[in-house]
Amino acid sequence: MDAELSSVETLMGPVAVTALGRTLMHEHLFNVGEEFQRNYVPEWDEDAAIQEVVDQLTELKALGIDTIVDPTVLGLGRNIERARQVGARVDVNVIVATGVYSYDSVPQQFYFRGPGMAFDEPEPLTALFVKDISEGIGETGVKAGLLKCAIDKPGLTAGVERIMRAAGQAHVQTGTPITVHTDAETKTGLIVQRVLAEEGVDLSKVVIGHSGDSTDLDYLCALAEAGSLLGMDRFGLDLFCSFEDRVATVIELVRRGFAEKIVISHDYACCNDLFPTEGRGNVLPDFHIAHISRDVIPELLRRGVTEGQLDEILIHNPARYFSRG
Ligand SMILES: [Zn+2]
C-alpha cells in the first residue's frame, strides 16, 4: 500500500500516518498495577488519575508533540477503558499496543496451554495479539497499532522466546510493527533481531527499545545496519544513562548517517506506581513528559543536529514505521 494512504489505529480510531506529526515513540499513560491497586491502594481516585494524565498530555500538545506511542501491554497493567477516557479529552494521538511484557515466563494463564503443552493447541498468544489488532482490545473497539515484547538481563528464557515468536508471527500475519524492551548492557537487541528474523519479520518494522541506555556505538550501529530503529527512548531516566551521554550518542549516530534509524522518547508514565510520589523530583529531576521538548530538542539543535534531521527522528521515522508496505 502507498505510504500516503496508510493509517494507524489510535485510541480514537485510525489516523493517516502522514498526519501523526511529531511523535514520541515510547511513553505510558498509566503504569499502574491493577491487582496491587485493588488490594493496597484504598485512596486510589480514578477521576483524579485520568485528570492527571489529561493535564500532562495537554501540556505536551502545547509544546508541539502530536502523537505518543503507549506500549502498555499485559504485565504492565493495561487498561484500555481508562486510557480511552484520556484519549477522548486530549488533542494528542495515542497509539496503543498488544503483547506481553515479561523478562521470564509467559503469564500464568498460558502455563498449560500451547503447542506441546498439557492442553495442546496452536500458540494462543498469537491469536490474542491478532485479535487485538484486527478486532479490537476487549470490548473497547480500540485496535492495537503495534506489538510489544521484552527481553532483559535473563536473556532468551523459554517464556520470553515464546512471547517473542508469537509477536513475530502476529507481525507476519498482520504487518503490524513491533517494539521490544531490551537490555542495552547485555546487548539483547541482537537476540531480538535473530529471533524475529527467523520468524520472517521485517526488521525495519522493529524498534529496539531502550537502545539509548547504551553508549556502545558498535552495538548501536550493528542494530541500525541490520535495519531496525534505535529507541533512544529514556530521556530523563538518568539512573541508567546521563543526559550528556544520551544526547552525545544521538549526535554521533546522526553524524554517522543514522538519522533515519533513530526515534526518541522518555519511557515516562504519566500516572505510575513505580516510584514513590515523595522525593521523585530529587531522584529523577528531569523525568517528565516535557523534558524532550524543553531540554533535549534545543540541545540537539544547539549542537548541530539540523531541523531536517530532527524531522526525520520525530516525524518521518515514526510515519515510515507505522506505514504498511
Ligand atoms: Zn516502557
Side-chain angles (χ1 to χ4, degrees):
M1 191 189 286
D2 202 298
E4 281 80 56
L5 300 176
S6 279
S7 63
V8 57
E9 295 292 335
T10 74
L11 280 177
M12 305 312 290
V15 171
V17 294
T18 49
L20 292 175
R22 286 187 158 196
T23 302
L24 301 182
M25 287 284 278
H26 190 130
E27 309 293 347
H28 302 268
L29 300 188
F30 300 93
N31 190 337
V32 177
E34 295 283 302
E35 192 178 21
F36 181 78
Q37 175 210 315
R38 282 175 191 234
N39 286 281
Y40 297 112
V41 193
E43 69 276 18
W44 175 261
D45 182 335
E46 184 76 9
D47 293 340
I50 290 167
Q51 187 63 47
E52 191 185 335
V53 180
V54 166
D55 289 346
Q56 290 173 73
L57 294 195
T58 303
E59 181 192 7
L60 190 65
K61 179 71 183 188
L63 288 166
I65 302 296
D66 307 294
T67 300
I68 63 170
V69 176
D70 180 349
T72 306
V73 292
L74 242 62
L76 288 168
R78 185 176 71 171
N79 181 333
I80 295 297
E81 289 85 354
R82 182 189 291 145
R84 198 159 189 278
Q85 292 186 60
V86 173
R89 290 171 53 189
V90 296
D91 191 19
V92 174
N93 305 305
V94 182
I95 300 168
V96 299
T98 184
V100 174
Y101 179 85
S102 170
Y103 297 172
D104 188 1
S105 57
V106 292
Q108 213 172 13
Q109 292 76 18
F110 303 94
Y111 281 8
F112 304 106
R113 299 173 52 192
M117 315 291 284
F119 295 84
D120 195 5
E121 58 175 292
E123 180 53 76
L125 287 166
T126 309
L128 292 185
F129 298 165
V130 170
K131 189 259 174 194
D132 282 354
I133 291 163
S134 53
E135 294 171 35
I137 299 165
E139 300 295 311
T140 62
V142 174
K143 294 177 180 173
L146 77 162
L147 287 143
K148 160 86 173 277
C149 58
I151 176 168
D152 205 87
K153 285 189 171 38
L156 195 65
T157 66
V160 162
E161 181 169 7
R162 198 176 148 189
I163 295 161
M164 195 177 292
R165 291 193 185 279
Q169 286 156 18
H171 162 92
V172 168
Q173 288 180 35
T174 63
T176 303
I178 307 177
T179 196
V180 188
H181 165 107
T182 64
D183 177 58
E185 193 184 340
T186 54
K187 303 183 184 176
T188 58
L190 297 170
I191 303 172
V192 171
Q193 289 187 322
R194 175 178 64 77
V195 171
L196 291 181
E198 284 171 7
E199 293 297 333
V201 171
D202 172 357
L203 293 183
S204 75
K205 299 293 188 184
V206 177
V207 169
I208 304 296
H210 314 328
S211 291
D213 290 346
S214 178
T215 56
D216 182 340
L217 286 153
D218 291 341
Y219 170 61
L220 298 172
C221 292
L223 293 172
E225 277 161 7
S228 299
L229 289 158
L230 304 172
M232 311 304 278
D233 55 14
R234 279 178 161 174
F235 277 101
L237 197 47
D238 297 340
L239 293 174
F240 301 128
C241 190
S242 71
F243 174 80
E244 173 54 32
D245 280 348
R246 290 183 190 280
V247 166
T249 305
V250 168
I251 289 169
E252 179 58 17
L253 286 166
V254 169
R255 194 189 68 77
R256 294 190 187 192
F258 290 111
E260 288 183 4
K261 291 296 178 188
I262 298 168
V263 292
I264 58 175
S265 217
H266 306 94
D267 193 13
Y268 182 69
C270 297
C271 174
N272 74 75
D273 57 12
L274 295 174
F275 309 115
T277 312
E278 263 176 44
R280 199 181 284 186
N282 297 329
V283 179
L284 292 166
D286 291 327
F287 197 39
H288 54 81
I289 201 73
H291 177 50
I292 284 178
S293 305
R294 291 218 183 105
D295 307 316
V296 177
I297 291 174
E299 183 69 2
L300 291 174
L301 290 171
R302 193 180 68 77
R303 288 166 66 171
V305 174
T306 67
E307 293 279 0
Q309 287 164 336
L310 208 55
D311 285 350
E312 283 295 319
I313 293 169
L314 283 165
I315 301 171
H316 303 307
N317 296 344
R320 203 163 47 243
Y321 171 77
F322 283 111
S323 68
R324 300 295 171 93

